[in-house]
Amino acid sequence: MGGGALARPRALSFLEADGCTWVALAEAMRADGSGFNLLAVRRADGQLVGGVGLTIATGEIGYWLGRPHQGAGYGTEVAGALVRAAFEIVGLDIVFAFTDPANDRSRRVLDKLGFAYGGLREHDFALRGGLRPAHHYDLTAARWRDLNRG
Ligand SMILES: CC(C)(COP(=O)(O)OP(=O)(O)OC[C@H]1O[C@@H](n2cnc3c(N)ncnc32)[C@H](O)[C@@H]1OP(=O)(O)O)[C@@H](O)C(=O)NCCC(=O)NCCS
């Protein structure tokens, strides 16, 4: 798997302050039990490559990779692991994801995981908060089980 040959999509530039906001949000979510954020570590060498998060009440998932680790196929793996945890460990019936309109690579990750497209609408992003247009996606536990029936 890999998207290295394709052009890098127009990326939101994330600053150190955004990283600090993410850590603060993660700590608050862990403290009040409203969700969790996990770091993704490459098995082969222990390298930190990115992170994922789930807000339990809304079923919203998020995922990101450090820039050197983008385009190598990890996105689908880390987002897929989070979806599995949301359904099999947390017991949610549905999860949601929201992408920036220009983020075709993230949309492809969601397509590959079986998410259904719900249209372009405003979404209130926790990081860099405020309403922005976003592509809405959802995946039900029933559909996920159908797709992953082994
Ligand atoms: C979005 C992100 C998680 C994707 O993970 P990734 O490992 O880089 O993505 P992949 O390399 O697996 O590529 C995913 C798919 O997108 C395709 N793709 C890559 N670049 C693309 C582009 N510019 N346009 C369209 N599709 C693209 C790949 O070909 C691949 O599909 P394929 O497996 O069918 O070939 C990662 O790039 C990232 O962290 N970006 C910054 C943070 C972010 O955007 N998070 C998501 C917020 S919603």
Side-chain angles (χ1 to χ4, degrees):
M1 176 168 39
L6 291 168
R8 186 189 290 280
R10 183 177 68 83
L12 295 171
S13 55
F14 285 89
L15 308 172
E16 188 174 336
D18 299 314
C20 293
T21 304
W22 185 80
V23 170
L25 274 174
E27 284 177 352
M29 288 169 77
R30 188 169 62 168
D32 67 14
S34 61
F36 57 83
N37 292 269
L38 303 171
L39 293 173
V41 173
R42 188 161 54 207
R43 275 201 197 93
D45 59 2
Q47 171 69 51
L48 172 66
V49 297
V52 295
L54 170 70
T55 305
I56 293 171
T58 60
E60 179 174 351
I61 65 162
Y63 45 86
W64 57 270
L65 299 170
R67 198 160 269 190
H69 308 295
Q70 295 173 12
Y74 297 140
T76 307
E77 188 175 348
V78 299
L82 178 65
V83 167
R84 178 179 295 278
F87 292 143
E88 292 196 337
I89 299 174
V90 182
L92 297 185
D93 294 323
I94 188 166
V95 292
F96 298 89
F98 308 95
T99 78
D100 183 89
N103 199 341
D104 292 337
R105 189 180 270 177
S106 182
R107 299 186 68 190
R108 179 77 187 120
V109 164
L110 296 170
D111 285 340
K112 286 202 294 182
L113 291 173
F115 276 74
Y117 181 56
L120 183 65
R121 299 194 296 279
E122 300 258 281
H123 178 67
D124 194 1
F125 285 90
L127 195 63
R128 295 242 170 132
L131 288 174
R132 286 193 275 121
H135 291 298
H136 286 220
Y137 285 85
D138 66 69
L139 178 61
T140 63
R143 175 164 163 76
W144 179 80
R145 285 194 193 99
D146 277 351
L147 292 171
N148 291 281
R149 215 181 290 281

